[in-house]
Amino acid sequence: MANIVILGGGFGGLAAATELARQAAGEHRITLVDRKDWFQMGLAKLWTLVGSRRPEDGRGDLYRLAARGIRFIRGDARALVPAD
């Protein structure tokens, strides 16, 4: 089993983690690391600018990734030490 670490929970990181989890189907451990524990939908930012929604209305909880088989760690990555 390989450990796959994705740094950053933006659009790219979420898309990569979700697709890898779907394709790996339990064969690999997928971990996403981000400084914050929420994700802001891009379109929701526009709704906030025009006043039709509040900023928190477009946020998603990154801890919910566990339901897709993705481990989430809130924090900063300071170093990656690969196993031998």
Side-chain angles (χ1 to χ4, degrees):
M1 176 180 282
N3 291 314
I4 299 169
V5 178
I6 298 168
L7 303 178
F11 281 115
L14 287 174
T18 301
E19 185 61 20
L20 286 168
R22 187 184 70 75
Q23 289 186 22
E27 295 177 26
H28 304 294
R29 184 182 345 208
I30 299 163
T31 303
L32 186 134
V33 180
D34 197 285
R35 291 179 178 153
K36 52 189 185 320
D37 60 357
W38 52 271
F39 168 74
Q40 181 76 39
M41 287 182 3
L43 188 56
K45 294 174 188 176
L46 296 174
W47 296 331
T48 300
L49 287 173
V50 298
S52 63
R53 295 212 182 164
R54 299 173 301 161
E56 56 272 11
D57 292 339
R59 289 185 181 171
D61 184 350
L62 291 177
Y63 287 105
R64 293 176 56 200
L65 292 171
R68 296 183 179 192
I70 302 166
R71 180 178 175 216
F72 171 67
I73 298 175
R74 182 178 183 185
D76 292 326
R78 298 182 193 273
L80 293 175
V81 181
D84 292 334

